[in-house]
Structures are given as structure tokens and as C-alpha cells.
Amino acid sequence: RWSSRAAPAPAACRASQRPRRGRSRQLCSQPGGPSTPRSRSALSGLSLNILTILSFCKTPELRTPSHLLVLSLALADSGISLNALVAATSSLLRRWPYGSEGCQAHGFQGFVTALASICSSAAVAWGRYHHFCTRSRLDWNTAVSLVFFVWLSSAFWAALPLLGWGHYDYEPLGTCCTLDYSRGDRNFTSFLFTMAFFNFLLPLFITVVSYRLMEQKLGKTSRPPVNTVLPARTLLLGWGPYALLYLYATIADATSISPKLQMVPALIAKAVPTVNAMNYALGSEMVHRGIWQCLSPQRREHSREQ
């Protein structure tokens, strides 16, 4: 059921009584909140991933099945950055101005793009293993089906809280919306463990195994052509704090943690789009060349003449 609460005014910060487990939290937007770091990471991630998307659209050499998986990741990370930009704007206003329905939409959009980013990273890892370590190259049908499955699965899991399994609500500072982990009831616990297995542990396992197999097969003859360490570390360090916070909420009262400390996993996760863009786009010579062609019209015209 959608939350009927509206985001409170900043005066609500005066309340100091700790809420009981399973009841509504006292929301407040405190001065000196994380709006500046969040806006910086959102703008950097959005800019880099938009450049990546434009390079795919304007550079014919990048229109391959393998790069389609990277394009899906860039689209997901752009959505995460947009979600963070909305949250940063609300933090500057010191309140959530979009009402309860806007909260549900914001939570859904952020959850869809976050899950799509995690699963797209796993898809890129599998695609790279298939491309470099097998004799058959990745075809368009497989790549398109994989991208379609990633986004359909992400939308499915993100829609479940709107249907009653899980719940979207305001984050502790009251300036953005995410999964409500303050309740810690059976509904939240069952959704969390099921969702985390299919959308965090399984993609992380696919990513680690794919790059490890690449190291074992290609490391004997030459150096792997891509970074085989950073993607798995980004998944683990970028989304792991969120997983630990949710896990803690299933066994203890999450509201006992200070609101600003509860926002740390969100700030870390909002930096993932920037790291992914630097790894998958700027770290790839072909994609890097495509970005420079988009930024330099003279280079683009020169490449067309050649």
C-alpha cells in the first residue's frame, strides 16, 4: 500500500524521541546533509555515461553485440545518477517536495536502475568471457535477449514493493525514497533475502567466475585485454554496504543507527556510475576513441573521410 505520509518540514528535526521498531520514522532533512557529495557524484556519473551513450550512437565501430551490453550498463548508471540528482535537489530544499506518489515513483526508478546496473555488470562479464575465451563470438540475438532479460527482471523485482512485497518509503533524512528497512518484519525479511540472492549474490558470482576464468585462460599466453579485478570490486564495495545495512535491519533495529550514518551506503552506491564509466568506457580504447569523436567534430569528419 502506498505511503500516505508527506515529507515533514525541517522543524520536525527537533524531535529526539527514537521510534519503536516497525513504526513510522521521524523524518527530517538536516542542514549540512550530503547534498553536495551526492550532487557531485550524480553530475559526474551522468555526464560520463551520457558521453558513453552518445559515442555508441554516433560511432559505427561500437555497434557490436558486446558493446550493446556496455550500453545497457551506461543507461542503467545514467538512471542511478538522475535518481541521485533528484535526491540532491530535495536535500538542498531540505524536504521532499513531490508527495507520497512521487516517493513511490522515485523509489521504483532508483531500484530498477540499480538492479539493472548490477545485472548488466554481470552480463558484461559473461559477454567478455564468451568473446575472449570461446571460439564463437557473441551474436546479436543473444545480446539483445540478455539486455531484454536484465531490464525485464529488474522491473519485475522493483515492482514487487508497489504490489505489497516490500515497501518504498522515505530515507532517514527525508529527502529521497528507497526500500523501507525500518520495519524489519517478515514481509521485508522474505523480500530482502530472495531479492538479494537473485540480484546481488548471483550477479556477483557470475562476475567473479567469468573474470577468474578469463585470467586462467588468457593469463597463460598474454595479459587479459580488460580489467579483470575492478568490476567485481566495484560490485562488492559499491553495493555491499547497502546489503550489510539491509541485513542488519533484519536482525536489529536499524533506527538505532544515526540518520547520517544510514546515508553512507547510498552515497557510496551513487559513486558506482562514475567508476563504471571510467572502467568500461574510458578504460576501453575503442569507446574512449568514440567519446573523443563525439567531443571533437573535426576528428569525426576526418574519420568519415578515411
Side-chain angles (χ1 to χ4, degrees), residues 39-58:
S39 59
R40 288 176 180 174
S41 62
L43 289 174
S44 62
L46 185 61
S47 301
L48 290 173
N49 282 286
I50 285 179
L51 285 176
T52 304
I53 295 171
L54 290 176
S55 69
F56 280 101
C57 296
K58 295 186 176 182

Side-chain angles (χ1 to χ4, degrees), residues 21-275:
R21 182 177 177 86
R23 295 191 177 183
S24 59
R25 292 189 299 255
Q26 184 67 50
L27 303 177
C28 61
S29 182
Q30 303 173 358
S35 60
T36 301
R38 182 180 294 175
S39 59
R40 288 176 180 174
S41 62
L43 289 174
S44 62
L46 185 61
S47 301
L48 290 173
N49 282 286
I50 285 179
L51 285 176
T52 304
I53 295 171
L54 290 176
S55 69
F56 280 101
C57 296
K58 295 186 176 182
T59 308
E61 293 82 1
L62 295 177
R63 298 168 191 168
T64 63
S66 297
H67 287 112
L68 179 64
L69 303 179
V70 180
L71 176 61
S72 173
L73 178 61
L75 289 171
D77 286 341
S78 297
I80 295 176
S81 298
L82 283 174
N83 187 274
L85 201 57
V86 173
T89 303
S90 301
S91 184
L92 290 174
L93 297 175
R94 296 176 59 187
R95 65 186 181 89
W96 177 257
Y98 308 110
S100 59
E101 293 186 1
C103 176
Q104 301 299 309
H106 184 257
F108 173 78
Q109 187 270 342
F111 202 29
V112 167
T113 52
L115 296 182
S117 176
I118 295 173
C119 295
S120 293
S121 298
V124 171
W126 179 85
R128 286 179 169 180
Y129 167 76
H130 189 276
H131 178 77
F132 292 109
C133 298
T134 62
R135 296 181 179 180
S136 59
R137 290 188 175 183
L138 188 67
D139 55 52
W140 278 106
N141 290 333
T142 304
V144 171
S145 300
L146 196 56
V147 170
F148 181 77
F149 173 78
V150 164
W151 284 94
L152 184 63
S153 173
S154 301
F156 168 77
W157 285 100
L160 290 177
L162 298 177
L163 301 176
W165 197 19
H167 182 69
Y168 292 124
D169 205 348
Y170 302 103
E171 285 192 343
L173 297 183
T175 56
C176 55
C177 298
T178 185
L179 283 176
D180 182 15
Y181 51 85
S182 65
R183 301 185 180 189
D185 54 9
R186 183 176 299 178
N187 180 285
F188 168 76
T189 302
S190 60
F191 175 75
L192 171 68
F193 282 105
T194 309
M195 180 274 301
F197 175 78
F198 288 104
N199 296 282
F200 180 67
L201 295 178
L202 187 59
L204 180 62
F205 174 78
I206 293 174
T207 302
V208 171
V209 171
S210 297
Y211 286 117
R212 184 62 59 87
L213 292 176
M214 285 183 60
E215 289 179 349
Q216 292 179 356
K217 188 162 187 176
L218 300 179
K220 298 178 181 179
T221 57
S222 61
R223 184 179 179 181
V226 295
N227 193 323
T228 59
V229 178
L230 185 59
R233 289 184 178 179
T234 302
L235 282 181
L236 185 60
L237 298 179
W239 300 105
Y242 250 135
L244 291 177
L245 177 62
Y246 287 170
L247 180 62
Y248 179 82
T250 63
I251 59 179
D253 187 3
T255 58
S256 61
I257 306 175
S258 65
K260 288 188 177 181
L261 188 59
Q262 292 182 50
M263 294 302 297
V264 171
L267 294 176
I268 296 175
K270 296 304 185 289
V272 170
T274 302
V275 177

